[in-house]
Amino acid sequence: MLALAGFAMILTFMVLIMTNRLSAITALLLVPVAFAVLTGFGGQMGPMMLDGIKNIAPTGIMLVFAIMYFGLMTDAGLFDPVINRIQRVAHGDPLKIIVGTALLALLVSLDGDGATTYIIVVTAMLPLYRRLGISPLILTCMNMLVGGVMNILPWGGPTARAMSVLHLDSTQLFNPLIPAMGAGLVWVFFVAWRFGKRERKRLGLEHLNEAKAAKTVVYGLAAGLSQPLPEVPDLEISPEEKALRRPKLLWLNALLTIALMVALVRELLPLPVLFMLAFALAAVLNYPNLSQQRQRFAAHAGNALSVAAMVFAAGIFTGILGGTHMVDAMAQSFVALVPQSLGPHFPVLTGLVSAPLTFFMSNDAFYFGILPFFTKAASAFGISAATMGKASLLGQPVHLLSPLVPSTYLLVGLAGVDIGAHQRFTLKWAGGTVLVMLITSLLLGIISL
C-alpha cells in the first residue's frame, strides 16, 4: 500500500510539473501533503515536514549566498578582462575563437547560472562568429557542453537537489567528482579544438598564422572575397552597468574568489559559512556605501529567493516521503524486481540512465522523484547514498539539451538557431562528455562497477 502510494505521489508530481499544471515549488508542497492526508498520516506530517526542512537548511543557505556572491562579482566586472582579452587574441582565427568560447563559458559559469552564462558568452562571441562565417551551432554547442559539466557545481541546480534529497553535503557529493569534471572539461576543449580545425579548413584558413589572423578575415564566402578585419571593440556595457564596475579592485576580487575556491576544496569551514563570509567581504569591498549595497542585494534577491524557495519546498517533499516510510516500501518493491546479478552495478546503471531520464523529465522530477528510491534500492546491495548521488549527476551534459530546460530556449534564441538543429548537432558530443566522466569515475574509484 505504501509503495503504491509512493509511486503514485511521484507520478503525480512528475505529471503536474511536466505538463505545466503546477510549478515545481507548489507541486513540491501540495502533492506530498495531499498524499500524507490520503494515506492517514495527516496528523503526523508536521514533524516530518520540519525534519525535512532542517535537513536541507544548510544547502538552502549556501545557495542563497553563492548566488549573491557571484552576482556581485559579475556586477564588479570580474569577468570583463577575460572577455576583452579573448576577443582581442582570438579574432580572425576560428580555432582560437571556438576555444576562447569554451574558456569564457567555463569562467562565467562559475556562478552556476546557465542563463547568465549564455547571455554573456553569446553576446561577446556571436559577432566574431558572424564576421568569420563560423556556424552558430558551434557557439551553442560549446556553451552547452561546458554548462553540462559546470552544472555539477554544488550551488548549481542538480547537485543542490541531490544534496537535499539524500541529506548529504558537498564534501561527500561534489568534491569526489572534481577529477571526473576535469576529465569532462578536457573532452570539451578537445571538441572545441576539433571544431576549430574543421572550421579553419571549411573557411579556407587551414594554414592561418597569427599575423594573418590579426589582419585578415573572410567576408562574403560565396563570392570568395577577403577584406581587412576591423578592430574588435571591448565588451560593450550600459552606463548603469559601467557605474557598478570596480576595475581598481579586479585583482582583489580575483584573489578573493580564488581563496574561496581553495577553501571550499580544502573544507576549511562549512560550505554555507564560507559563502556567507565571502559575500560579506565582497559587498563591503566593492560597495561600501550602504545604499549601493541595498541596491545590489535587491538586484540579485529574486534569483536567490526562487532557488532557496525550491530547495526548502523539497524539504517538505523528502520529509514526508521518508517520514511515512513510502521510500522504504518503494525501494523494497524495486529491489524485488532487480535481478541479483545487476544489483551491485546500480551506480553504473544510474550514471547511464541519468542522461536519458533527465532529458525526458526535469531535474525536479528526477532528483526528487526517481533518485530517492533508486538510492534506497541500492542500499540493499551495500551501495552508499553518496555513491548513488555522484552517479546520478553524470548525465547532466545531456539534460541541458532537454526541451524542458528554459535556459536552452534563451541560448538558441540569442544565437538565432533552431532548437532541433541544436539538439541534433550537440547530442553526440554531450553523450561523449557523459561517457568520459563515467569512465573516469570508474577508473578512479569515484563510483564502483
Side-chain angles (χ1 to χ4, degrees):
M1 176 67 179
L2 281 177
L4 289 175
F7 284 117
M9 185 170 88
I10 291 172
L11 181 61
T12 302
F13 168 73
M14 291 168 57
V15 169
L16 287 173
I17 63 174
M18 292 176 70
T19 58
N20 294 321
R21 300 292 179 87
L22 290 177
S23 67
I25 292 176
T26 54
L28 284 168
L29 293 169
L30 297 178
V31 171
V33 169
F35 274 86
V37 172
L38 289 174
T39 52
F41 290 96
Q44 307 167 43
M45 66 181 181
M48 298 177 191
M49 297 161 78
L50 286 178
D51 286 341
I53 292 173
K54 291 175 184 176
N55 285 330
I56 56 87
T59 298
I61 295 169
M62 179 271 293
L63 288 172
V64 168
F65 285 94
I67 292 169
M68 298 288 280
Y69 175 81
F70 283 109
L72 288 181
M73 288 294 105
T74 302
D75 291 339
L78 177 62
F79 304 111
D80 290 357
V82 179
I83 296 172
N84 293 331
R85 182 65 178 171
I86 290 173
Q87 287 181 329
R88 290 173 178 174
V89 171
H91 67 196
D93 186 344
L95 191 151
K96 290 181 180 179
I97 290 172
I98 296 170
V99 173
T101 300
L103 177 60
L104 180 59
L106 171 62
L107 295 174
V108 179
S109 61
L110 283 171
D111 70 350
D113 183 3
T116 301
T117 301
Y118 299 156
I119 291 170
I120 293 175
V121 177
V122 174
T123 301
M125 304 304 293
L126 185 59
L128 298 178
Y129 277 69
R130 286 176 174 168
R131 194 174 300 170
L132 265 179
I134 302 173
S135 171
L137 287 172
I138 296 176
L139 176 59
T140 58
C141 177
M142 297 317 304
N143 270 277
M144 195 145 285
L145 292 184
V146 172
V149 177
M150 299 302 286
N151 207 31
I152 301 175
L153 289 169
W155 47 91
T159 304
R161 290 169 172 84
M163 288 191 295
S164 300
V165 78
L166 300 180
H167 304 149
L168 300 171
D169 59 37
S170 63
T171 61
Q172 298 168 291
L173 203 57
F174 168 71
N175 288 12
L177 281 175
I178 292 176
M181 291 176 64
L185 290 173
V186 169
W187 163 258
V188 170
F189 279 97
F190 166 76
V191 174
W193 174 84
R194 181 186 174 98
F195 282 153
K197 297 287 286 186
R198 191 180 72 183
E199 289 299 284
R200 270 185 176 181
K201 185 175 182 180
R202 184 179 69 83
L203 297 171
L205 304 173
E206 189 171 8
H207 303 293
L208 188 73
N209 57 42
E210 290 191 9
K212 189 176 180 181
K215 299 177 181 178
T216 307
V217 68
V218 175
Y219 278 90
L221 294 175
L225 300 177
S226 180
Q227 300 181 8
L229 176 67
E231 287 297 319
V232 179
D234 284 350
L235 176 69
E236 295 183 3
I237 59 176
S238 67
E240 293 79 11
E241 292 174 320
K242 189 173 182 179
L244 298 173
R245 296 301 195 256
R246 298 292 183 267
K248 294 182 179 180
L249 298 176
L250 174 64
W251 287 108
L252 187 58
N253 285 328
L255 289 173
L256 177 60
T257 303
I258 293 170
L260 173 60
M261 295 299 109
V262 172
L264 291 174
V265 174
R266 295 180 63 86
E267 306 171 27
L268 298 182
L269 288 172
L271 195 63
V273 175
L274 286 172
F275 270 110
M276 292 170 77
L277 293 175
F279 164 73
L281 286 172
V284 171
L285 290 172
N286 290 279
Y287 306 102
N289 182 279
L290 188 57
S291 177
Q292 288 181 320
Q293 288 184 13
R294 288 172 176 166
Q295 291 174 357
R296 292 301 87 214
F297 300 164
H300 301 292
N303 289 336
L305 177 61
S306 63
V307 173
M310 182 272 295
V311 171
F312 284 111
I316 300 293
F317 190 96
T318 58
I320 290 178
L321 192 66
T324 58
H325 300 290
M326 288 183 189
V327 69
D328 297 321
M330 292 162 62
Q332 291 171 4
S333 301
F334 188 71
V335 169
L337 298 175
V338 177
Q340 287 292 320
S341 58
L342 292 180
H345 305 297
F346 249 116
V348 176
L349 295 175
T350 300
L352 290 173
V353 302
S354 66
L357 286 180
T358 55
F359 179 86
F360 290 108
M361 64 178 67
S362 68
N363 272 338
D364 295 314
F366 178 74
Y367 288 101
F368 297 140
I370 301 298
L371 182 59
F373 80 85
F374 265 31
T375 302
K376 195 68 177 181
S379 67
F381 299 95
I383 299 169
S384 68
T387 298
M388 291 297 292
K390 288 178 287 188
S392 72
L393 294 169
L394 298 178
Q396 283 304 301
V398 171
H399 163 72
L400 289 185
L401 284 169
S402 171
L404 300 173
V405 179
S407 61
T408 300
Y409 295 99
L410 172 65
L411 174 63
V412 298
L414 289 170
V417 303
D418 177 71
I419 188 170
H422 164 66
Q423 289 172 326
R424 291 190 296 272
F425 183 87
T426 307
L427 181 59
K428 66 178 180 180
W429 306 110
T433 310
V434 174
L435 291 177
V436 166
M437 292 199 296
L438 178 59
I439 292 171
T440 302
S441 297
L442 289 172
L443 291 176
L444 297 181
I446 298 171
I447 64 173
S448 58
L449 182 63

